[in-house]
Every structure is written in C-alpha cells, then in structure tokens.
C-alpha cells in the first residue's frame, strides 16, 4: 500500500498543489433550511459565499459529491435538481437550498407530458436565474435542448451579470459518438467562450478546448474526477455476491458496466472473451447497462454472442441499474474491463476503484494515467481483442489476482486519496473566489483598510 501511495504522489497532477489550504467560513450560529436563502451573501469577504449548482437533473454521484465538497468548505449552494436527486444527503444539509425544478423525469411518460414538463422546467429555470441571489452559476450538465442551453440560455445568464463556470465531462460528445456537425461545434464553441471558467478532468480535454474551440488556456482548470460515494457499499462479501448471481467461486469473472454504445468498444471484449473460452471454460462475463442511442449496436453484439456459442457463460442485465443494485456486480467481479474505443476518462473506472476492483482498460484518453500497471490494473492496445485477451490472461495468472482481497483494500485507499472531493473543492472554490472578487472595488476586498 505504501508503495502505491508513493507512486500516486510522484504522479500527482499539477492541480494537487495549485492552491493552498482554504479557510472555511462559518455562518453565524445555527443555520436552518429557511435561513439559507435569506441570510447569505454572494461576495467574498462577507460571512458566507453562495453559488448555484445547475445539475441538469442527473448524474447523482457527481452532483452530490460536488455539493457535499462545497458545503464542507462553508459555501451555500442553491442545488437545482430533480426527483432523482431529492435525497437525504442534500435535503438534510443546512447549507443546501434544494430547488426541484426538473421534477419527475420518467422515460415512460407520454410525449405530451414530456413536452409539458420540459417547457415548465425552462420557464422555472429562467425565472430562477432572474431572481437568484447567487452571483455565480456552476453548470454540471446541460438540459434537454443542447443548442438552446449552449447559446440563448448562456446569453441569458450573462445578461443577468452572472459569473458562469462549467464542468465539461466530454469536450465534444458528437465527435466521440461519430455524429458531429457544424451546428454542434458552433454551439459548443459559443458556450465554451461565454463561460468565465471551465473545469475538465484531463490535460487532453484542456488541450482540445484550446486547440479546437479557441478557449484561453488560463480559463481552464484540470480537476480530479471525484470518487463515487453515492453507490451503497455494504458488508456484502465477494463470495456472497457471486452466489447471488449464480457464479462459482472458481469462475474468473469479468465485468462490463455502463452505457452500451459504439465508443464503449464492447465488441472487442466479446471477441476477447470468446478467445479465452476456447482455451478455458472457467471464464464468466457480466454485461450490465442499457443501450445508448441506436439499439442496432447492441443487437449486433447480442447476435454475435448467440452465434459464438458463449451465451451460457455470460450474465446480461441490459437496462438501467439503480445505485442500490450496483454493488453486487462490482463485488462478484474479479476485474473490471473498459474496452473503450474513444473516451477521455471514465466514471466507471473510479466507481470500480471505490469497490477496490482492479481494471483492464484500453489505452485511450487519460485511462493509462489513471492505472498503476500491475497494482490497480493493466492497459491494452485499443480496438485489439487479441491484446485484451492476453492482458486478461496475464491478470488472472499474476500476483494482483492471487492477492485480490488484500489488494481491494489497497485500491480503495489509493482511490480515496487520489480522487478526493476535498481536492476538487479546493481548486473549485479558489476559482470561485477569483471570479467573484474580480469585479469588486479594492475597498471591499478582504484585508482592505
């Protein structure tokens, strides 16, 4: 464990030491839910700082993780959420003012109901922006209509004199998903250049913003991808999880988890798995997730599985998996496989790390930088099923797998330190401070005579 942590310190990215320790500013006395709205200030140097966190209504792990990290720094948060994000961690935080503007987002609603709820949401969002006390809006995700959000809604925020920060999880998802267009790039460029500051998770993403969208380098900060703390992690053991899924203790179990889309490269994993089974029938594969975009991609993979005669060695759950049901899959698996063809970074990798699960990932984006070879996993050549099969065999014949239970605890400790939300909060709040003090006269800044 000490060796792993020493390697992590040597590989510590620049953001880890970019800012010193921030001083937490506490409110005066007991703060109640109602007083959060009435007694806060949006100017640094006053007793409290407030921001609006616009979540887009989803991505629970990231939204909740960031909100908790910000409130731990003494920041008050207007949390623009949905029914999915209406959870005790948010509702019971005295520094969070939860505003359920998105409401119910059930996919089985009628087209009329969907249209009505989206229209209602945008009306409420614009109304909120016009009257909101926070002077800084932090966007985590856009909403339903990307073009509107990237252009007119951004102009609305700027006209209201809001400082706007944006966390970019995918610089150009259209390019990744092979459906890019001039209009897509134009609207992305407008949004990126209307932001006052942008947060990304890799240096590669920063470089793409600078080179392809003419964003100033000093307007972009690289932050860690905060560890997933929202998925329940009980005392369920690996053996118990395997038995729940009908997997033998002797089976060598691989896990693919998350959205099923062409850029995820699942076909390379299926091909590698077929090669492995031709030599050793003790391998098992778990595929968990729902198709994203066209159903045709999953149908092709499903047909390939049927033709290959490997169906009996695969557990499939092709649907959205609630957080409370994810644990059993990560604990039943012996290794997580990320066979991606195109990606910058992956939240699934960090979710696996939170369970102490090693990963074998394609060498795309920043994934190689997130894996310590032989200690937290292995890296293989992208879109090369033969190399993936070799790395899987190497893993199961190596020391990492032989000492898996011990290594699980080490990987969890490494991930909690390397991808701490405290690091995210330190960088983020420093940027907030810079933006909110930039327009103030010197007489009201901290330390002014």
């Amino acid at each position: 464990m000490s060796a792993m942590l020493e390697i992590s310190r040597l590989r510590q990215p620049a953001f880890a030491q970019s800012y010193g320790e921030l001083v937490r500013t506490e409110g005066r006395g007991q703060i109640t839910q109602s007083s959060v709205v009435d007694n806060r200030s949006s100017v640094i140097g006053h007793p409290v700082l407030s921001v609006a966190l616009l979540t887009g209504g989803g991505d629970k792990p990231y939204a909740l993780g960031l909100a908790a990290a910000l409130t731990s720094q003494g920041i008050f948060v207007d949390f623009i959420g949905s029914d999915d994000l209406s959870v005790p961690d948010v509702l019971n935080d005295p520094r969070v003012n939860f505003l359920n503007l998105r409401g119910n987002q059930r996919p089985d609603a009628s087209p009329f109901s969907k249209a009505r709820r989206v229209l209602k949401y945008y009306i409420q969002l614009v109304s909120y922006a016009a009257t909101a006390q926070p002077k800084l809006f932090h966007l985590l995700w856009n909403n339903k209509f990307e073009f509107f959000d990237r252009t007119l809604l951004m102009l609305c925020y700027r006209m209201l004199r809001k400082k706007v920060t944006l966390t970019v999880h995918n610089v150009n998802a259209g390019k990744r998903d092979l459906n890019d267009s001039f209009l897509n790039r134009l609207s992305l460029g407008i949004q990126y250049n209307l932001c006052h500051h942008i947060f990304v998770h890799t240096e590669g993403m920063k470089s793409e913003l600078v080179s392809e969208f003419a964003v100033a380098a000093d307007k972009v900060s690289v932050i860690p991808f905060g560890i997933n703390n929202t998925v329940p992690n009980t005392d369920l053991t690996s053996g118990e999880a395997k038995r729940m899924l009908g997997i033998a203790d002797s089976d060598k179990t691989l896990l693919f988890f998350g959205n099923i889309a062409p850029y995820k490269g699942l076909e390379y994993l299926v091909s590698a798995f077929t090669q492995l089974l031709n030599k050793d029938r003790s391998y098992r594969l778990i595929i968990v997730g729902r198709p994203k975009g066209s159903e045709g991609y999953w149908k092709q993979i499903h047909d390939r599985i049927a033709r290959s005669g490997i169906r009996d060695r695969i557990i499939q759950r092709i649907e959205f998996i609630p957080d409370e049901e994810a644990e059993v899959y990560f604990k039943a698996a012996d290794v997580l496989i990320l066979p991606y063809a195109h990606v910058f970074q992956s939240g699934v990798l960090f979710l696996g790390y939170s369970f102490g699960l090693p990963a074998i990932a394609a060498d795309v984006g920043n994934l190689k930088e997130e894996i310590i070879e032989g200690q937290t996993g292995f890296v293989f050549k992208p879109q090369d099923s033969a190399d993936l099969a070799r790395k899987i065999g190497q893993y199961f014949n190596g020391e990492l797998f032989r000492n898996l239970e011990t290594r699980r605890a080490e990987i969890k400790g490494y991930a909690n330190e390397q991808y701490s939300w405290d690091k995210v909060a330190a960088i983020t709040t420093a940027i907030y401070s810079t933006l909110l003090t930039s327009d103030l006269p010197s007489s009201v800044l901290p330390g002014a005579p």
Side-chain angles (χ1 to χ4, degrees):
M1 178 63 179
S2 59
M4 187 182 299
L5 292 179
E6 182 60 30
I7 292 174
S8 75
R9 292 189 186 100
L10 291 174
R11 295 171 53 185
Q12 202 67 261
F15 57 66
Q17 291 122 9
S18 294
Y19 300 97
E21 191 69 25
L22 297 175
V23 177
R24 180 179 301 178
T25 304
E26 300 292 351
R28 297 173 178 171
Q30 183 67 30
I31 300 172
T32 64
Q33 184 72 24
S34 59
S35 68
V36 167
V37 179
D38 298 329
N39 296 328
R40 54 188 164 176
S41 167
S42 297
V43 181
I44 299 290
H46 285 221
V48 289
L49 162 67
S50 65
V51 302
L53 200 61
L54 282 67
T55 67
D59 197 358
K60 183 188 293 184
Y62 203 92
L64 299 190
L66 181 58
L70 295 178
T71 59
S72 74
Q73 296 286 339
I75 294 176
F76 286 89
V77 176
D78 273 5
F79 190 101
I80 312 304
S82 63
D83 287 359
D84 292 341
L85 300 179
S86 180
V87 298
D89 287 350
V90 173
L91 300 178
N92 297 334
D93 190 327
R95 290 191 177 90
V96 173
N97 178 34
F98 183 79
L99 300 170
N100 188 357
L101 302 190
R102 282 301 294 265
N104 186 301
Q105 299 183 82
R106 288 175 51 191
D108 58 349
S110 68
F112 176 77
S113 296
K114 289 181 179 179
R116 182 177 60 184
R117 75 190 184 193
V118 168
L119 179 61
K120 178 182 177 183
Y121 169 69
Y122 276 110
I123 292 173
Q124 290 180 323
L125 180 61
V126 173
S127 176
Y128 164 78
T131 59
Q133 293 187 31
K135 297 184 183 299
L136 190 147
F137 282 16
H138 187 157
L139 282 60
L140 297 185
W141 291 96
N142 286 328
N143 302 292
K144 187 68 175 178
F145 297 111
E146 290 277 4
F147 186 82
F148 177 78
D149 284 33
R150 295 170 182 172
T151 56
L152 297 180
L153 196 55
M154 286 293 296
L155 286 170
C156 174
Y157 297 151
R158 293 298 300 260
M159 290 174 63
L160 292 169
R161 303 182 66 81
K162 302 297 183 183
K163 299 290 187 178
V164 182
T165 64
L166 172 69
T167 296
V168 174
H169 303 275
N170 303 291
V171 175
N172 186 348
K175 181 179 178 181
R176 180 200 66 190
D177 297 339
L178 306 179
N179 59 5
D180 199 8
S181 66
F182 170 78
L183 192 61
N184 176 60
R185 293 191 300 274
L186 175 65
S187 60
L188 282 171
I190 291 172
Q191 180 168 44
Y192 293 152
N193 284 280
L194 284 175
C195 287
H196 291 91
H197 203 85
I198 298 173
F199 299 100
V200 296
H201 300 301
T202 73
E203 289 291 343
M205 297 173 75
K206 179 175 181 176
S207 296
E208 184 174 355
L209 282 170
V210 172
S211 63
E212 297 194 16
F213 294 97
V215 177
D218 61 359
K219 206 173 83 169
V220 184
S221 292
V222 181
I223 59 174
F225 194 105
I227 197 74
N228 188 323
N229 294 322
T230 64
V231 174
N233 192 347
T234 69
D235 57 1
L236 178 74
T237 68
S238 176
E240 291 169 342
K242 286 178 182 290
R243 286 189 287 276
M244 288 174 64
L245 298 179
I247 298 172
D249 289 339
S250 58
D251 284 344
K252 302 169 184 174
T253 307
L254 321 176
L255 173 64
F256 175 94
F257 189 95
N259 288 328
I260 299 172
Y263 74 92
K264 290 294 189 77
L266 180 54
E267 67 269 30
Y268 302 108
L269 173 54
V270 171
S271 179
F273 184 66
T274 303
Q275 295 173 43
L276 291 166
L277 281 182
N278 288 336
K279 301 176 181 178
D280 184 352
R281 295 294 293 183
S282 68
Y283 282 99
R284 297 293 301 271
L285 173 59
I286 305 172
I287 300 175
V288 179
R290 64 179 173 186
K292 179 182 179 182
S294 172
E295 294 278 347
Y297 175 70
W298 167 244
K299 185 178 185 304
Q300 291 176 9
I301 292 176
H302 184 270
D303 291 345
R304 178 182 296 186
I305 290 172
R307 292 195 306 269
S308 301
I310 59 175
R311 178 66 185 85
D312 63 313
R313 303 302 295 170
I314 299 178
I315 296 172
Q316 301 179 37
R317 187 171 175 189
I318 312 304
E319 60 182 318
F320 171 77
I321 304 299
D323 286 347
E324 58 271 16
E325 298 180 28
E327 176 186 24
V328 65
Y329 300 104
F330 283 91
K331 289 191 172 177
D334 297 312
V335 66
L336 176 67
I337 310 294
L338 305 175
Y340 302 161
H342 308 284
V343 75
F344 271 116
Q345 44 77 34
S346 171
V348 177
L349 171 62
F350 306 116
L351 177 57
Y353 277 176
S354 73
F355 286 100
L357 187 63
I360 299 176
D363 186 8
V364 295
N366 205 54
L367 295 185
K368 184 176 182 178
E369 301 303 316
E370 310 296 353
I371 291 177
I372 302 176
E373 193 84 3
Q375 296 192 56
T376 68
F378 294 93
V379 176
F380 71 95
K381 299 174 185 176
Q383 302 181 56
D384 188 334
S385 57
D387 192 48
L388 173 55
R390 283 192 295 271
K391 288 301 175 73
I392 293 172
Q394 179 183 347
Y395 168 75
F396 281 103
N397 289 321
E399 186 268 342
L400 180 54
F401 173 66
R402 285 195 296 270
N403 298 310
L404 183 55
E405 289 310 306
T406 300
R407 289 301 186 89
R408 277 185 182 268
E410 294 178 355
I411 292 172
K412 283 192 285 188
Y414 162 77
N416 286 329
E417 177 177 306
Q418 186 78 352
Y419 309 106
S420 164
W421 280 107
D422 289 340
K423 293 181 180 179
V424 177
I427 301 170
T428 304
T429 53
I431 295 298
Y432 290 170
S433 298
T434 300
L435 292 175
L436 291 173
T437 57
S438 61
D439 295 335
L440 293 179
S442 60
S443 60
V444 301
L445 292 175

